[in-house]
Amino acid sequence: MATLARLQARSTFLAHQYYFRNSAVDVFRKKEYDAAVKIQSWFRGCRIRAYLRYLHRVATVIQKCWRGYLGRQHYQLIVKLEFCTMKMNLYNAMAVRIQKRWRGYRIRKYCFNYFYLKEYLKAVSETNDAIREALEEFAEMKEREEKKADLEREEKKRDYQARKMHYLLSTKQIPGIYNSPFRKDPDPWELRLQKAKPLISQRPKVKQKRGVNISNRLACTSARSLPQSEILPPIDRKQCQGPFRDITEVLEQRYKPLEPTLWMAEPINELKMAREELRKQEWMRNINDNMFLPFSSYHKNKKYIPLMHSSSKYGPNSYGSQHFRDENPKKWICDKDFQTVLPSFDLFSKYGKLYSKAGQII
């Protein structure tokens, strides 16, 4: 009983001891398990890495053999190509040599014959000389013809001018301008005027209508007895001698188109249109459209908009305050005003000072 009582008394202590020892064993068991896992993982890693190294060595050997085989095949192919290229180059060189010899022989025998070529060039040069001489003769002939045509044209022009100036011919009473009494021989134009005939303008012929009796027209028996033609019949008389112009020029001047005057060419409301255009231009050039009302309270609550030349960053324009009517009292010698000779100049200086002071105040 005593032993049982001691055991019962020590039951709690035993339970604690049992729990403590079991817990310590669990801790050590976990450490041992982790150590075993680590040893196993290291060993398995070493074994896998060794196997992978073995596989790499085997793959390297296989790749080496295969690449060596491919390289030897490629090298054999290159050798074959080079051998074929060398043979073709040799054959081409031999063919070129054969062609060179044959072409040289053919050219020397059939094509390039020195004496035949010399004769050919000589014939070509002779033909060229003959053609050149013929062309020179043709050019000289054309030049002579052109000169002759120019001379004929000038002669015709002088003849026409002489016919137009036939009124300048000398008469028995009055010598012409080309027959001066102070010259030994008359001017060549005087001789040309004597040979020329006066220029007479040809008037248009009027065609008479068939079936109309002239006696009826003269008798005026009908309303249509007068001639219906616009151009009157020509008067058969000689043209007066003198400085008269050509009939065509006179007709052109007589029947020139109507030129209206400035009053008729311009519209009747030109002044009104000009004013409207001026008003439009002033409106386009206007900077501020607000109406200026100095004696009203319309602009009291609005901000003042300064002028462009006064609000610029370069400063206002100094014309009127520095360059004109400017006064500098520091440079004055005395306080007296300038004395002028005439009273008008004195009055002008006073008003000038007033205007300058007013401008400074503004």
Side-chain angles (χ1 to χ4, degrees):
M1 288 297 293
T3 304
L4 182 60
R6 286 196 302 271
L7 290 173
Q8 289 180 355
R10 295 180 60 186
S11 61
T12 57
F13 177 72
L14 291 175
H16 286 295
Q17 287 291 330
Y18 179 76
Y19 177 75
F20 175 73
R21 289 183 181 181
N22 285 335
S23 63
V25 168
D26 290 337
V27 171
F28 287 121
R29 187 182 294 114
K30 188 175 184 312
K31 287 183 180 181
E32 290 177 356
Y33 178 77
D34 293 338
V37 168
K38 187 177 290 186
I39 293 169
Q40 288 178 0
S41 63
W42 173 78
F43 178 74
R44 291 173 181 173
C46 291
R47 187 172 62 180
I48 292 297
R49 283 191 290 272
Y51 182 69
L52 290 175
R53 283 195 295 271
Y54 170 73
L55 292 179
H56 288 165
R57 286 196 299 269
V58 172
T60 302
V61 172
I62 295 171
Q63 290 177 359
K64 181 171 64 174
C65 295
W66 175 248
R67 290 173 182 174
Y69 172 74
L70 292 180
R72 287 188 294 273
Q73 293 291 329
H74 184 65
Y75 177 73
Q76 290 177 3
L77 180 61
I78 292 174
V79 169
K80 289 181 180 179
L81 292 175
E82 289 294 330
F83 179 70
C84 293
T85 306
M86 289 173 63
K87 284 197 302 182
M88 292 303 297
N89 291 334
L90 179 62
Y91 295 158
N92 291 333
M94 295 298 106
V96 168
R97 187 174 299 179
I98 295 168
Q99 290 175 2
K100 182 173 65 173
R101 297 294 176 85
W102 165 247
R103 289 173 182 173
Y105 169 74
R106 183 173 177 275
I107 289 295
R108 285 190 298 271
K109 186 174 182 180
Y110 298 103
C111 299
F112 188 75
N113 193 345
Y114 174 73
F115 298 100
Y116 175 76
L117 184 61
K118 187 176 180 181
E119 292 293 333
Y120 173 74
L121 293 177
K122 185 178 179 181
V124 169
S125 62
E126 292 176 356
T127 307
N128 290 339
D129 294 338
I131 293 173
R132 191 178 293 108
E133 291 176 0
L135 290 175
E136 289 177 357
E137 292 177 359
F138 180 74
E140 290 177 359
M141 183 181 67
K142 293 295 288 184
E143 188 176 358
R144 286 195 299 270
E145 290 179 357
E146 289 179 359
K147 287 182 180 179
K148 185 178 179 181
D150 292 339
L151 291 175
E152 291 178 356
R153 199 179 298 110
E154 291 292 333
E155 190 68 21
K156 288 182 180 179
K157 188 176 181 182
R158 292 194 189 96
D159 292 341
Y160 180 74
Q161 193 72 18
R163 293 183 66 187
K164 287 183 67 175
M165 297 190 304
H166 192 268
Y167 61 90
L168 300 176
L169 181 63
S170 301
T171 59
K172 293 181 180 180
Q173 289 80 10
I174 302 173
I177 60 174
Y178 295 110
N179 191 12
S180 177
F182 301 102
R183 299 182 60 176
K184 295 181 180 181
D185 299 327
D187 194 85
W189 274 99
E190 181 68 22
L191 302 176
R192 189 180 291 275
L193 291 174
Q194 292 176 5
K195 295 178 181 179
K197 294 181 180 181
L199 185 63
I200 299 174
S201 60
Q202 297 180 358
R203 297 182 180 181
K205 296 181 180 180
V206 179
K207 295 182 179 180
Q208 295 183 358
K209 294 183 179 180
R210 297 180 179 179
V212 178
N213 194 1
I214 300 176
S215 61
N216 295 332
R217 289 185 177 180
L218 296 176
C220 296
T221 57
S222 64
R224 298 182 180 180
S225 60
L226 295 177
Q228 300 297 326
S229 61
E230 298 179 357
I231 301 174
L232 296 176
I235 301 174
D236 296 334
R237 66 179 182 180
K238 295 183 180 180
Q239 188 179 7
C240 299
Q241 183 180 2
F244 298 106
R245 292 183 296 177
D246 194 0
I247 186 65
T248 57
E249 186 179 357
V250 176
L251 292 176
E252 287 179 1
Q253 184 177 3
R254 183 179 296 175
Y255 298 109
K256 62 183 180 181
L258 179 65
E259 295 181 1
T261 59
L262 185 61
W263 177 261
M264 297 299 296
E266 296 293 334
I268 194 170
N269 57 346
E270 179 66 23
L271 183 60
K272 186 177 179 181
M273 294 170 63
R275 287 175 180 171
E276 291 292 335
E277 185 67 23
L278 183 62
R279 191 178 293 109
K280 289 180 181 179
Q281 293 180 2
E282 288 180 353
W283 183 81
M284 287 189 294
R285 290 195 299 266
N286 193 10
I287 299 175
N288 192 0
D289 295 336
N290 296 330
M291 188 181 298
F292 180 69
L293 299 174
F295 302 105
S296 65
S297 60
Y298 181 74
H299 298 285
K300 284 185 177 180
N301 297 327
K302 289 189 176 182
K303 186 179 179 181
Y304 173 70
I305 302 175
L307 297 176
M308 187 180 294
H309 70 274
S310 62
S311 62
S312 176
K313 64 179 181 179
Y314 301 104
N317 192 1
S318 60
Y319 183 77
S321 61
Q322 294 184 7
H323 300 282
F324 184 65
R325 294 175 182 172
D326 189 16
E327 292 183 359
N328 191 1
K330 295 181 180 179
K331 295 184 180 181
W332 289 354
I333 301 175
C334 60
D335 296 336
K336 292 182 179 181
D337 295 333
F338 292 101
Q339 295 181 3
T340 57
V341 178
L342 296 175
S344 60
F345 288 103
D346 193 7
L347 185 62
F348 180 78
S349 63
K350 289 181 180 179
Y351 279 108
K353 289 180 181 179
L354 291 175
Y355 289 146
S356 63
K357 289 178 181 178
Q360 290 176 3
I361 290 171
I362 292 172

